[in-house]
Amino acid sequence: MIHRIEPVCQTPLWQQSLANAYTDVDAFIHFLKLDKETTPAARAAAKQFGLKVPREFADLIRKGDPDDPLLRQVLPIGEETLAAAGFIHDPVGDLEKVVVPGVLHKYRGRLLLIANGSCAVNCRYCFRRHYPYQEATVYRQRWQEAIRHINQAEEIDEIILSGGDPLALSDGKLAELAARLEAITHLQRLRIHTRLPVVIPSRLTAELTAWLTRGRLKPIFVLHINHPREISSELAIGLNRLKQAGVTLLNQSVLLKGVNDSVKTLTDLSYALFDAGIMPYYLHLLDRVAGAAHFEVTELQAKQLQTELRANLPGYLVPRMVRESAGATAKQPIF
Ligand SMILES: *Cc1c(COP(=O)(O)O)cnc(C)c1O
Ligand code: SF4
């Protein structure tokens, strides 16, 4: 047990990590001992969608390996700037489903609140890479409007906090939002969709556990982990605390070429998730967003992977392979 002297400064450790994330292409390439020749292309791609990688995540990346599966998810590369047929700006039709600012009411019974526009990491394959966050986000002042909508929508029993990443907001703000939601009597469950603890494990604060579990709403945490090496021991320890406090832990991944498109990686991922107390939930096919074509795994390959996963793993460790499609009433199963 290491005893650390408490810092005098009041900014939580995770917020310092957020502020200290790599955003400069040169510094990042230097830290990872990558070939300097990759810099110009990375810079060009970062103009469209910036580099953002917290140091904790950078520490998990193998140095000097341009093919590292964790690196591939975060390093801007030249392919992003190439146009590809069928890869568009809003592939899942989300913008049509914004009912009031920050509220995506797309599926029956559950409603997605874009609680915050930014993320701790910029994932290169993200379907929100062209998303007009600023207009769509629920600002604090706008919570009124969102809360009013939820109050009237009595068929809604579950709120999903998403983003961006909702956990980029402070625990104080989130506690306030959770309290307001709890007052809406037809709500039963509060779900958080987040990748933030994966890239900054210290985000799993005692305050977070407190506001998430002290209320009436049943808490669910849906993490976004794509590769077994993303589950650091710090992350596993933090998640265990949440689980002990009664939070259901699920995971969604995106099937990504060069990251996790092998039976071995996906099998290892399911076991690693289970070891950390997390159940595999969804394995998403890539949303066809402009700039991400080089990550696409064909539907045929995806089906072959799914068949082999089902043969390899106990049924409860096989994630549901789905695709998001505009206008559908739920995510579409691939089988
Ligand atoms: C994915 C998603 C949900 C949640 O769907 P589940 O199948 O319940 O996980 C809700 N709303 C929107 C807009 C979504 O994209
Ligand atoms: S954390 Fe999620 S929302 Fe944010 S960039 Fe990554 S995939 Fe997109």
Side-chain angles (χ1 to χ4, degrees):
M1 174 96 203
I2 301 164
H3 290 275
R4 259 181 282 180
I5 298 168
E6 285 301 311
V8 190
C9 127
Q10 289 300 300
T11 309
L13 195 61
W14 68 268
Q15 283 180 348
Q16 296 174 36
S17 297
L18 209 56
N20 292 330
Y22 284 106
T23 52
D24 178 63
V25 168
D26 295 78
F28 186 65
I29 284 178
H30 177 77
F31 172 75
L32 287 172
K33 299 188 167 45
L34 296 170
D35 190 341
K36 286 208 175 55
E37 280 177 21
T38 54
T39 309
R43 279 225 190 111
K47 279 204 187 97
Q48 290 183 2
F49 184 52
L51 169 99
K52 194 176 194 186
V53 187
R55 279 155 209 267
E56 290 86 336
F57 193 76
D59 283 338
L60 301 176
I61 298 172
R62 262 193 308 263
K63 295 223 166 69
D65 179 3
D67 298 324
D68 181 89
L70 275 55
L71 177 71
R72 201 171 152 76
Q73 296 177 57
V74 297
L75 179 70
I77 57 170
E79 277 98 324
E80 292 177 26
T81 54
L82 308 174
F87 284 76
I88 57 173
H89 276 59
D90 181 22
V92 297
D94 267 2
L95 295 179
E96 292 153 33
K97 302 292 175 185
V98 175
V99 286
V100 298
V103 176
L104 275 178
H105 192 167
K106 195 166 161 182
Y107 301 146
R108 200 172 302 151
R110 55 240 198 261
L111 185 148
L112 200 141
L113 265 191
I114 301 175
N116 178 49
S118 68
C119 292
V121 58
N122 283 348
C123 309
R124 308 316 301 175
Y125 52 84
C126 183
F127 77 93
R128 294 192 177 102
R129 52 181 289 153
H130 309 284
Y131 204 71
Y133 284 129
Q134 297 314 321
E135 294 111 81
T137 303
V138 185
Y139 296 116
R140 207 171 184 194
Q141 311 88 285
R142 288 179 174 175
W143 283 355
Q144 284 312 19
E145 218 179 322
I147 298 282
R148 202 176 309 129
H149 176 82
I150 299 166
N151 252 317
Q152 286 160 1
E154 284 188 12
E155 52 106 8
I156 299 292
D157 63 1
E158 176 167 344
I159 298 296
I160 302 169
L161 301 187
S162 182
D165 201 308
L167 294 190
L169 291 175
S170 71
D171 286 316
K173 282 188 187 164
L174 288 164
E176 188 191 321
L177 179 58
R180 291 205 196 181
L181 292 172
E182 203 191 325
I184 302 173
T185 51
H186 55 265
L187 295 183
Q188 304 300 333
R189 295 176 303 282
L190 178 59
R191 196 194 315 180
I192 316 283
H193 279 190
T194 182
R195 182 152 164 80
L196 210 152
V198 181
V199 297
I200 305 178
S202 62
R203 178 62 188 92
L204 299 175
T205 57
E207 291 79 14
L208 183 146
T209 309
W211 66 256
L212 191 55
T213 58
R214 72 172 156 235
R216 172 183 67 82
L217 303 177
K218 291 272 184 298
I220 303 155
F221 225 69
V222 183
L223 290 137
H224 173 179
I225 299 169
N226 296 319
H227 191 280
R229 273 182 34 227
E230 291 171 42
I231 308 175
S232 62
S233 51
E234 290 82 3
L235 177 65
I237 291 165
L239 289 174
N240 187 47
R241 274 199 305 270
L242 273 183
K243 191 163 177 131
Q244 296 304 320
V247 180
T248 297
L249 302 178
L250 304 172
N251 183 64
Q252 49 183 348
S253 310
V254 182
L255 183 59
L256 298 166
K257 190 166 156 189
V259 174
N260 58 10
D261 58 333
S262 79
V263 180
K264 171 152 184 9
T265 304
L266 291 172
T267 303
D268 289 351
L269 175 60
S270 274
Y271 285 129
L273 289 168
F274 185 73
D275 285 348
I278 313 163
M279 295 306 288
Y281 180 36
Y282 280 142
L283 178 57
H284 294 268
L285 294 201
L286 183 75
D287 295 315
R288 306 191 90 200
V289 65
H294 56 290
F295 282 114
E296 187 164 61
V297 175
T298 67
E299 200 162 304
L300 180 67
Q301 285 171 296
K303 282 181 179 161
Q304 285 165 349
L305 283 169
Q306 179 84 338
T307 303
E308 291 192 55
L309 280 185
R310 281 164 32 139
N312 269 6
L313 288 164
Y316 59 88
L317 289 186
V318 181
R320 277 156 259 196
M321 196 178 263
V322 292
R323 182 193 285 289
E324 186 83 45
S325 64
T329 54
K331 299 190 201 306
Q332 298 301 296
I334 295 307
F335 263 98

